[in-house]
Amino acid sequence: MTVLASSLDTKSPEHAANREAMLAKLADLDAEHAKALAGGGEKYVQRHRKRGKLLARERIELLLDPDTPFLELSPLAAWGSDYTVGASLVTGIGVVEGVECLITANDPTVRGGASNPWSLKKALRANDIALANRLPCVNLVESGGADLPSQKEIFIPGGAIFRDLTRLSAAGIPTVAVVFGNSTAGGAYVPGMSDHVIMVKERAKVFLGGPPLVKMATGEESDDESLGGAEMHARVSGLADYFAVDEPDALRQARRVVARLNHRKAYGDPGPAEPPKYDADELLGIVPGDLRTPFDPREVIARIVDASDFDEFKPMYGTSLTTGWAALHGYPIGVLANARGVLFSEESQKAAQFIQLANQRDIPLLFLHNTTGYMVGKEYEQGGIIKHGAMMINAVSNSRVPHLSVLMGASYGAGHYGMCGRAYDPRFLFAWPSAKSAVMGPQQLAGVLSIVARQSAAAKGQPYDEEGDAALRAMVEQQIESESLPMFLSGRLYDDGVIDPRDTRTVLGMCLSAIHTASYEGARGGFGVFRM
Ligand code: COA
């Protein structure tokens, strides 16, 4: 074993200051998570309870195996928008009858559980996760369908929800719909496209058009039950496979359905793994409040990998990127971690080689981000930094082993791409509260804008408004800063959630376990042309 040594001084004032800054950010994060948990607020929660109904997360809890964790995804969806934090939908991974499932639950306390543009993005992301990892999909349905005022944003792209359900089914990935309430119009195709359907007595309403619409369309008089009640669908139409007398009964039956799926993981459980040698609590004090101060990612690796055991690859070459082999909860991984912000040609080539090795050996990759991007300047351009950065991006793009990304600190510019940013389809991507991501840093971006404006004025022979420039720079800096923060980015579904650094090992372990439901094989060739 090659146990990492730590030089972290947990008694130093820097550590204490970093820890304090991180704890303050975590307190802010808790306050935002609480908004998602509060759903539509007290009034709607009380009304829902008075109707004898369970809340979305209570339904999930009864569905899951007792005392097993639920990895909730994107709880901050819609943050910073006009819609309620959480986007009226709960999604995540949990274990049902020993089977890891992708679970979604509409939150009917938020505008009747109607889907707004962020709910749609979140639901589509959940479907992607189910498909990539072959996780059975259990949808706990009670939704007012499309959020009507924002229909223009969701009607046309929203068709993908139903397309995905049938594609999952075609791929042999089971889909289960449990209908607790409204599931009308387009929503009727959620049970309509699912492999297994359970409906709750006198609660489920599954019809293409409700009584008023039917009256308008054909003049026929009807009622909810005869058009789309659970009993009608169980006895007459055959859309419901199982009739549940109440909500707990529906969840019990959903568990029985999953128990009978005969869904098998591609890889067995690797068994118990040795925990890291260092305390995860110390992760709070590693990232400096000011991201311009570098930190050693080995201190992070030492606190998340099994037994803090890490075999570094090319430790003396391209030293601002640390690469090496480890295991996490028993799963082998290759780690790429930024050490000093900037990526040079050497780091890029080292990354490309390392990614190829992981593909030859079928080893998943973990990217730990703290990069300001690829190096600029005459010397580096002449040294071929574009070609070398392109090699790294080529390797990341065409790699076929599963990728995980964690944004610890900075994740700027093309460095975000090379380190497997969101657009590079990592199986999961999480951010720490200390992370920041944007095309470049706020000061740099404001400075570039100012230089461009100054040159433009000079070209037109106009005087430059220095006062206006200072105000503009300050405004732009503030805007870019707020748009770089993890809550903002999580709100836009650019990650799968903002996590407490102390939970990193657990979260990645759950992801790796879910990933190993599907078989994978690294790319043996099939990379694009590497420009040398
Ligand atoms: N779009 C936008 N807002 C919606 C909505 C939708 N599809 N469905 C419900 N809401 C809003 C309601 O206007 C209400 O807002 P308010 O409290 O500010 O007045 C809030 O969500 C709660 O709705 P309410 O009708 O009081 O809740 P409920 O639990 O009694 O009934 C539904 C829920 C979903 C059965 C009912 O609201 C409904 O039938 N909605 C329309 C469904 C529909 O036709 N959707 C189009 C499908 S494509």
Side-chain angles (χ1 to χ4, degrees):
M1 282 219 293
T2 319
V3 175
L4 280 167
S6 174
S7 54
L8 194 68
D9 179 2
T10 55
K11 303 269 184 295
S12 69
E14 290 78 27
H15 187 88
N18 296 347
R19 186 184 156 87
E20 209 168 296
M22 185 67 91
L23 285 172
K25 290 188 178 114
L26 283 169
D28 292 346
L29 182 65
D30 281 350
E32 299 309 313
H33 281 156
K35 290 182 187 165
L37 291 179
E42 203 45 36
K43 175 180 145 197
Y44 290 94
V45 168
Q46 287 310 331
R47 189 177 73 166
H48 190 72
R49 287 201 191 285
K50 276 211 189 85
R51 291 171 171 171
K53 293 184 164 201
L54 294 165
L55 298 175
R57 287 180 181 78
E58 293 169 344
R59 289 174 180 162
I60 293 173
E61 202 172 335
L62 284 179
L63 176 70
L64 298 179
D65 291 353
D67 298 325
T68 57
F70 179 60
L71 177 61
E72 188 169 334
L73 300 168
S74 309
L76 298 179
W79 191 94
S81 77
D82 293 338
Y83 300 98
T84 307
V85 174
S88 72
L89 183 71
V90 184
T91 64
I93 296 172
V95 181
V96 181
E97 292 284 345
V99 181
E100 284 156 293
C101 296
L102 190 292
I103 297 156
T104 78
N106 300 115
D107 183 346
T109 69
V110 183
R111 299 197 73 74
S115 285
N116 59 56
W118 302 110
S119 333
L120 175 61
K121 267 196 140 188
K122 187 164 170 176
L124 293 175
R125 171 68 188 143
N127 287 347
D128 284 348
I129 292 172
L131 190 61
N133 303 293
R134 296 191 65 80
L135 301 179
C137 224
V138 184
N139 295 306
L140 307 181
V141 184
E142 177 165 18
S143 164
D147 176 76
L148 293 172
S150 51
Q151 69 84 27
K152 70 174 188 302
E153 308 288 346
I154 46 179
F155 165 59
I156 289 174
I161 295 283
F162 317 120
R163 176 206 67 190
D164 283 353
L165 280 172
T166 191
R167 285 188 179 166
L168 285 163
S169 178
I173 301 166
T175 53
V176 183
V178 190
V179 187
F180 294 91
N182 208 58
S183 180
T184 64
Y189 289 105
V190 174
M193 312 302 295
S194 293
D195 291 350
H196 304 274
V197 177
I198 299 159
M199 292 192 196
V200 179
K201 180 185 170 187
E202 289 164 7
R203 293 288 166 87
K205 278 187 212 166
V206 185
F207 35 62
L208 291 183
L213 193 144
V214 171
K215 173 85 180 156
M216 288 291 294
T218 66
E220 186 190 16
E221 294 287 347
S222 54
D223 60 83
D224 284 353
E225 265 310 294
S226 65
L227 278 180
E231 187 147 359
M232 186 287 285
H233 281 306
R235 288 188 193 282
V236 185
S237 79
L239 178 62
D241 306 313
Y242 304 96
F243 175 77
V245 294
D246 56 20
E247 295 201 12
D249 185 39
L251 293 160
R252 180 190 65 79
Q253 296 204 46
R255 289 177 52 77
R256 292 311 306 151
V257 168
V258 175
R260 298 285 186 194
L261 291 176
N262 193 27
H263 196 67
R264 283 159 295 189
K265 282 174 76 98
Y267 303 87
D269 183 345
E274 203 179 313
K277 302 275 185 209
Y278 306 95
D279 192 347
D281 194 66
E282 293 165 359
L283 288 167
L284 293 175
I286 295 178
V287 184
D290 180 350
L291 292 181
R292 282 171 299 191
T293 313
F295 63 90
D296 187 349
R298 292 176 196 84
E299 300 290 1
V300 174
I301 297 167
R303 285 160 183 82
I304 61 174
V305 304
D306 295 352
S308 306
D309 182 12
F310 183 65
D311 286 297
E312 195 162 340
F313 169 77
K314 274 187 156 57
M316 296 162 77
Y317 183 84
T319 53
S320 85
L321 183 78
T322 301
T323 50
W325 310 105
L328 202 152
H329 276 290
Y331 297 100
I333 51 166
V335 183
L336 297 95
N338 302 112
R340 271 191 316 282
V342 183
L343 291 161
F344 298 88
S345 288
E346 290 82 353
E347 282 74 11
S348 309
Q349 290 175 308
K350 172 172 156 178
Q353 185 187 356
F354 186 71
I355 291 167
Q356 282 187 299
L357 287 173
N359 275 270
Q360 290 287 349
R361 317 276 180 262
D362 299 329
I363 297 175
L365 290 169
L366 168 64
F367 295 81
L368 297 172
H369 295 228
N370 182 31
T371 178
T372 47
Y374 292 97
M375 190 64 194
V376 296
K378 188 169 71 183
E379 181 188 342
Y380 305 98
E381 298 287 4
Q382 293 186 356
I385 186 73
I386 297 176
K387 291 191 305 182
H388 299 131
M391 287 174 87
M392 179 171 170
I393 295 173
N394 175 349
V396 169
S397 306
N398 293 302
S399 162
R400 298 181 62 85
V401 293
H403 296 172
L404 294 163
S405 274
V406 177
L407 276 57
M408 308 181 293
S411 186
Y412 286 114
H416 176 72
Y417 303 160
M419 290 295 289
C420 200
R422 188 59 146 181
Y424 291 77
D425 287 335
R427 292 286 180 96
F428 296 93
L429 183 149
F430 296 96
W432 285 2
S434 45
K436 284 186 189 172
S437 192
V439 66
M440 61 180 88
Q443 286 98 350
Q444 291 84 340
L445 195 145
V448 170
L449 271 180
S450 159
I451 292 169
V452 172
R454 197 179 295 271
Q455 284 172 344
S456 162
K460 291 186 203 129
Q462 289 166 352
Y464 192 61
D465 175 4
E466 293 296 341
E467 232 168 77
D469 179 80
L472 182 80
R473 279 171 78 137
M475 198 185 75
V476 169
E477 263 188 58
Q478 204 184 18
Q479 182 201 330
I480 302 305
E481 171 74 16
S482 65
E483 290 174 358
S484 312
L485 295 176
M487 282 192 245
F488 177 83
L489 297 171
S490 207
R492 304 179 81 78
L493 276 295
Y494 287 149
D495 60 38
D496 295 311
V498 185
I499 59 168
D500 185 324
R502 292 169 289 192
D503 294 335
T504 307
R505 175 174 163 81
T506 305
V507 167
L508 295 179
M510 289 178 78
C511 292
L512 282 164
S513 178
I515 283 169
H516 285 82
T517 309
S519 64
Y520 58 83
E521 196 174 273
R524 302 293 187 256
F527 290 91
V529 172
F530 283 109
R531 301 188 61 96
M532 299 298 177

